[in-house]
Amino acid sequence: ELEPSVNIQGGTTEGDLLFAQKCKELQGFIRPLTDLLNGLKMGRFERGLSSFQQSVAMDRIQRIVGVLQKPEMGERYLGTLLQVEGMLKTWFPHIAAQKSSLGGSKHRFTK
């Protein structure tokens, strides 16, 4: 249910669990982000963006993908992840967030 790297015994907070759950829900966005990143690297958006804009976009996309792949980062980054979630849903409205296996057992952790 939880990623093995999330240690419930070692002081994991409710926020840590929520962060891990959000990461899991947003995993479906990794593929379109990677496709976008590859398009930037191959120059597909060269005419619309300056080289600086392309560089910044590639850096941001790599960071977002990196966070989504590390659910153990925890509560400290939850606010940022929630902002990223809104952005991803705007960019890719056709992609539904994945249902998390934590969703059904959430109440167990929030008491």
Side-chain angles (χ1 to χ4, degrees):
E1 293 194 24
L2 286 177
E3 296 295 320
S5 56
V6 177
N7 182 1
I8 296 174
Q9 308 286 347
T12 301
T13 67
E14 185 178 322
D16 292 339
L17 294 171
L18 182 57
F19 183 88
Q21 177 183 348
K22 276 289 170 194
C23 283
K24 187 170 184 118
E25 289 172 9
L26 299 175
Q27 295 279 311
F29 291 99
I30 291 176
R31 175 74 186 253
L33 284 169
T34 303
D35 291 345
L36 184 58
L37 182 61
N38 290 335
L40 282 162
K41 288 179 179 178
M42 293 182 341
R44 187 181 322 152
F45 306 105
E46 215 165 60
R47 291 200 300 179
L49 301 172
S50 70
S51 62
F52 176 74
Q53 289 171 321
Q54 290 176 46
S55 176
V56 169
M58 287 188 285
D59 177 65
R60 296 298 186 263
I61 293 169
Q62 288 170 330
R63 287 175 187 249
I64 291 168
V65 170
V67 168
L68 293 178
Q69 292 175 333
K70 293 185 179 186
E72 70 275 5
M73 289 178 68
E75 178 177 18
R76 179 174 166 198
Y77 299 99
L78 184 57
T80 302
L81 184 62
L82 293 175
Q83 290 178 340
V84 167
E85 177 184 25
M87 180 185 67
L88 290 172
K89 288 180 178 181
T90 300
W91 283 3
F92 306 105
H94 58 285
I95 297 175
Q98 297 175 5
K99 298 292 181 201
S100 173
S101 60
L102 291 176
S105 55
K106 182 179 177 187
H107 297 291
R108 226 182 346 177
F109 298 114
T110 58
K111 288 185 179 175

